[in-house]
Amino acid sequence: ESITENNQFCHVCGAKVIKNRLTIRNIWADFCEQFLNYDNRFLKTFFGIISRPHIVIGAYINGTRKKYVNVISYFAIALTFSGLQIFIMRKFFPEALDLGAIMPNTVPEESMDINWIYDYMSILALLNLPVYGFIARMTFIGLKKFNYTEHLVIMTYILAQFTIMNTLVITPLVAIFGINFYVAGYLSNFVMMIFTTYTYKKMYPLSLGNTFLRVLLFFVVAGVLAIILGIIQVGYAVIDAGGFEEYLLEVKKQQEEMKKATSYIISSAINWTS
């Protein structure tokens, strides 16, 4: 059955029928209603994850998805915040992106070019999500309350929330006090760990001691994954070079290998930060 001119709402989904033609005025009004209104879903989601993450995230997992912003949209909003932050840093505060503040003096300056990471920030963030979901699932192995996909949803909400908070806090600190962007990012990683622990403590009925053990397990799983990825990278490099001795000679001769390794480390730090 089609919608008639007298219908104010869709009889199937309940959505409001918009009859006015698009104008700048009604687009602005819709934007204000969606994002600037105190009672909007974005603010409910943002403040809800801070105070009651188990309620907000649990609502999506359990199928109640109208009251809060869904996980995909919330992550998209977070990427927008992150992109805006990087644009402001590169445009107005390029000195805050000096890698010399966190890299040893022995690292060649030409190996610090990580502009490609900024260009592909969104893709890197998306590629890291399944890894974070896997680490979370392995951290809580033995507890069957959430499956891998649900852990992926939890981690996506956490990372999106932290990205938005990170943008709102770090950008002013850099702009007002001149703090190095990467130094601030490393410090914020501790906040990220605390926030993740807090969220999972709310999601699971765990004791404080059990929560602490799970945090340790998280670092073990993450460390094992890092070692495996490192071995794979070295193995590929050795095969590509034609042998281990040739690989060592290649490492000594080419600083490009150092550039790749440095870029990988920095990209991991930036992904956690943003």
Side-chain angles (χ1 to χ4, degrees):
E1 183 180 351
S2 61
I3 298 175
T4 65
E5 293 183 0
N6 296 327
N7 293 133
Q8 298 297 320
F9 299 90
C10 175
H11 63 280
V12 177
C13 67
K16 184 178 180 180
V17 177
I18 306 298
K19 300 179 180 180
N20 298 328
R21 293 191 64 180
L22 285 177
T23 64
I24 297 297
R25 182 177 180 179
N26 57 41
I27 288 178
W28 174 252
D30 184 61
F31 173 80
C32 292
E33 181 180 355
Q34 291 292 326
F35 295 101
L36 302 183
N37 180 25
Y38 177 77
D39 196 35
N40 71 76
R41 290 197 297 166
F42 172 72
L43 290 181
K44 282 184 177 179
T45 305
F46 179 78
F47 290 109
I49 292 180
I50 293 176
S51 59
R52 301 180 301 167
H54 57 299
I55 300 297
V56 177
I57 302 174
Y60 182 86
I61 291 176
N62 295 325
T64 306
R65 300 170 184 174
K66 286 292 184 182
K67 188 175 181 180
Y68 304 104
V69 179
N70 69 73
V71 65
I72 298 175
S73 297
Y74 202 58
F75 188 69
I77 293 173
L79 290 180
T80 302
F81 271 78
S82 178
L84 180 61
Q85 181 187 49
I86 293 300
F87 170 79
I88 293 174
M89 292 297 102
R90 298 175 78 179
K91 184 72 174 179
F92 301 105
F93 307 99
E95 66 281 357
L97 299 176
D98 179 21
L99 284 172
I102 60 172
M103 298 300 296
N105 295 330
T106 55
V107 177
E109 185 176 349
E110 61 269 17
S111 69
M112 297 186 186
D113 182 14
I114 59 170
N115 286 321
W116 67 273
I117 296 177
Y118 300 135
D119 296 334
Y120 298 99
M121 182 74 71
S122 298
I123 296 176
L124 291 173
L126 287 171
L127 291 176
N128 279 328
L129 283 179
V131 178
Y132 295 140
F134 174 77
I135 294 175
R137 182 67 190 93
M138 295 304 296
T139 299
F140 291 91
I141 192 169
L143 300 178
K144 299 181 179 180
K145 184 176 181 179
F146 301 112
N147 58 31
Y148 168 75
T149 303
E150 290 164 341
H151 277 288
L152 183 60
V153 168
I154 295 171
M155 288 303 301
T156 302
Y157 264 120
I158 291 174
L159 292 170
Q161 179 76 9
F162 184 74
T163 298
I164 297 172
M165 293 170 59
N166 194 38
T167 303
L168 295 176
V169 173
I170 287 185
T171 304
L173 287 177
V174 171
I176 297 173
F177 300 103
I179 300 175
N180 183 274
F181 179 73
Y182 303 111
V183 172
Y186 274 121
L187 294 176
S188 70
N189 286 341
F190 292 101
V191 180
M192 170 69 175
M193 296 174 190
I194 295 172
F195 180 71
T196 304
T197 303
Y198 162 75
T199 301
Y200 267 100
K201 179 68 172 66
K202 290 285 188 178
M203 301 298 295
Y204 280 98
L206 299 176
S207 64
L208 186 61
N210 200 339
T211 301
F212 179 73
L213 292 176
R214 296 289 172 176
V215 171
L216 292 180
L217 182 58
F218 171 87
F219 286 110
V220 171
V221 174
V224 170
L225 278 180
I227 293 173
I228 293 174
L229 290 175
I231 292 175
I232 292 174
Q233 288 179 336
V234 172
Y236 174 81
V238 170
I239 294 173
D240 187 60
F244 188 71
E245 293 183 0
E246 289 77 7
Y247 167 71
L248 292 179
L249 291 174
E250 192 72 17
V251 170
K252 293 178 181 179
K253 291 179 180 179
Q254 297 185 5
Q255 291 184 347
E256 187 63 24
E257 293 299 325
M258 181 182 294
K259 176 181 177 180
K260 292 180 180 179
T262 303
S263 298
Y264 178 79
I265 295 171
I266 299 302
S267 67
S268 300
I270 292 176
N271 287 331
W272 273 100
T273 303
S274 59

